[in-house]
Amino acid sequence: MVVPLSRMCEGEKGKIRKLELPPITRERLCGLGFVSGEEIQLIKVAPFGDPKVYRIKGTDITLRDDISMWILVETSSISLSYASKGDYLVSLINGGMGFRERLRLLGIEEGKGLTVIDNLGRRIEISVKGNYATLSRGQAMRIIVRER
């Protein structure tokens, strides 16, 4: 799945596929290692969501969303908030112990499967082992899944 770099979630990795930037910005980022085929990981998100720190070639680089939205990245995993109907495997949960415990009570843990029943915009209905649950978009943003 190819998504803008700005839509990646904390901890997620991907490979750069295309840079759709003005020549000056593109040249500058290419000098920092932003070239097609290079692996990139989102390390940290600022408290209000922008800017974000990315790791590329072992170096941490901060980019604002207005630039990173023009860098297309291929990733096998996505945030649950962007998932459409289907079966997924939870690959990463970004959150503290309280958040992880709430999800564990719902049956959502890393390495376990879940089914997205409906993605209604502000909330996501899922099924885990036959039990139904509704997550807010904010909660779903912190759960990284990949298709089964």
Side-chain angles (χ1 to χ4, degrees):
M1 167 179 281
V2 177
V3 297
L5 184 60
S6 60
R7 284 184 50 187
M8 285 178 62
C9 300
E10 202 168 319
E12 189 177 357
K13 290 181 180 178
K15 283 192 176 184
I16 296 174
R17 286 294 167 227
K18 192 174 184 182
L19 285 83
E20 298 179 340
L21 295 160
I24 293 173
T25 307
R26 181 188 175 100
E27 192 174 305
R28 189 174 204 174
L29 289 177
C30 284
L32 294 171
F34 286 78
V35 293
S36 185
E38 194 63 45
E39 186 172 288
I40 189 165
Q41 181 181 16
L42 176 56
I43 301 296
K44 184 98 176 143
V45 179
F48 294 109
D50 191 27
K52 297 175 181 164
V53 179
Y54 300 94
R55 182 167 292 153
I56 187 164
K57 291 188 169 185
T59 303
D60 294 347
I61 297 170
T62 302
L63 288 179
R64 294 186 325 254
D65 278 351
D66 62 340
I67 292 176
S68 61
M69 67 187 282
W70 298 107
I71 300 170
L72 301 178
V73 178
E74 184 175 343
T75 179
S76 61
S77 52
I78 59 172
S79 167
L80 182 60
S81 63
Y82 299 121
S84 55
K85 293 179 183 177
D87 294 328
Y88 295 91
L89 186 69
V90 178
S91 56
L92 183 70
I93 296 174
N94 290 317
M97 288 181 57
F99 181 65
R100 287 175 178 269
E101 182 62 21
R102 284 193 306 269
L103 293 180
R104 190 187 66 74
L105 294 174
L106 295 173
I108 302 170
E109 296 179 87
E110 292 176 2
K112 305 276 175 135
L114 62 83
T115 302
V116 173
I117 298 169
D118 209 351
N119 189 341
L120 303 170
R122 301 185 89 180
R123 58 191 166 98
I124 293 154
E125 295 177 359
I126 61 168
S127 169
V128 181
K129 297 178 186 173
N131 298 323
Y132 294 94
T134 301
L135 299 174
S136 69
R137 179 154 299 280
Q139 290 173 320
M141 280 294 288
R142 297 161 65 186
I143 303 169
I144 309 300
V145 296
R146 77 175 62 147
E147 289 183 89
R148 279 200 207 180

